[in-house]
Amino acid sequence: VTNISAIAATTGGIVSFDAGSSVTARGVVWHTSANPTIDINTGITYDGTGLGEFISEITNLQPKTTYYIRAYATNVNGTDYGPQQVITTPDAFLLEFNTNLSDGTTITLPLYGTVDVTVNWGDESENDYTTPGDKDHTYAGEGTYTVTISGTLTQFGNGWTGYSNAEKLTKVLSFGDLGITHLDGAFSEAINLIEAPSQIPSSITSFYYTFYGATSFNFDISLWDVSNVTNMYSTFCNAS
């Protein structure tokens, strides 16, 4: 199993024997419980027929979750399975955006500090970024999209200067385990933000202008442990 991200992975198999009857289906199955089958699984791929090697793309996984994966091949005699593989997806930064909340279908991610991430935009497209800056993505149509950021990132936000399209951000579903130390301006002018995780990573040291102008935010963050935070300047300035 290769290319393991928070929501996807690449695997496959080799069908080398068919017992005299043609292989009519082959692929992989996966589940959060051991020994998945073509009938009991979280997901399944169909990767052709016959003998030979095949590649399978596993998608729609959940961050920080263990999955059991088996290749399979089916013919008139039944279905055989290959050895079970076990993976655990890494944690991820999850954000929900609603493009209907302002003009256009473009959203922006303010990725700063040390950047070495993969961004899944929630529309079957993905980008890798290794340089800091505001990263834009334009969707083909209006809708609500969950964006997944995995890898290494030390700052989300662009300080007091803010960034474009923040009004489309509605929820922060998880901060993940990316090594974030600064949320400086992370949700500045995110006027439609209504939800954040109940806890924060212990790595965070700065909340400079984090919720500046986030006028709809009134979520319970009483469990946030800010004992490692050294900068909370204007964290909630002009927020609700």
Side-chain angles (χ1 to χ4, degrees), residues 8-21:
T10 301
T11 184
I14 301 174
V15 181
S16 57
F17 181 68
D18 61 12
S21 298

Side-chain angles (χ1 to χ4, degrees), residues 16 98 119 159 227:
S16 57
N98 184 346
V119 177
S227 57

Side-chain angles (χ1 to χ4, degrees), residues 71-194:
Y72 74 89
T74 300
N75 64 12
V76 295
N77 299 313
T79 300
D80 281 339
Y81 298 90
Q84 181 168 265
Q85 304 291 319
V86 183
I87 66 168
T88 298
T89 53
D91 207 353
F93 194 178
L94 301 178
L95 304 155
E96 183 179 286
F97 292 86
N98 184 346
T99 64
N100 293 287
L101 295 172
S102 63
D103 292 340
T105 60
T106 299
I107 67 168
T108 303
L109 297 178
L111 307 180
Y112 287 87
T114 299
V115 180
D116 187 4
V117 298
T118 297
V119 177
N120 184 293
W121 298 100
D123 63 350
E124 300 185 352
S125 63
E126 219 173 60
N127 290 105
D128 295 326
Y129 297 108
T130 56
T131 57
D134 290 345
K135 312 302 182 182
D136 292 340
H137 181 74
T138 301
Y139 294 99
E142 299 281 5
T144 300
Y145 299 92
T146 299
V147 175
T148 304
I149 307 172
S150 56
T152 299
L153 178 68
T154 57
Q155 179 172 320
F156 184 82
N158 193 21
W160 64 270
T161 59
Y163 56 97
S164 301
N165 303 304
E167 70 280 355
K168 294 182 172 72
L169 176 63
T170 57
K171 297 179 182 180
V172 182
L173 302 172
S174 170
F175 285 118
D177 188 19
L178 280 66
I180 294 174
T181 58
H182 290 64
L183 287 175
D184 296 352
F187 315 120
S188 176
E189 303 294 350
I191 59 175
N192 294 300
L193 178 66
I194 60 172

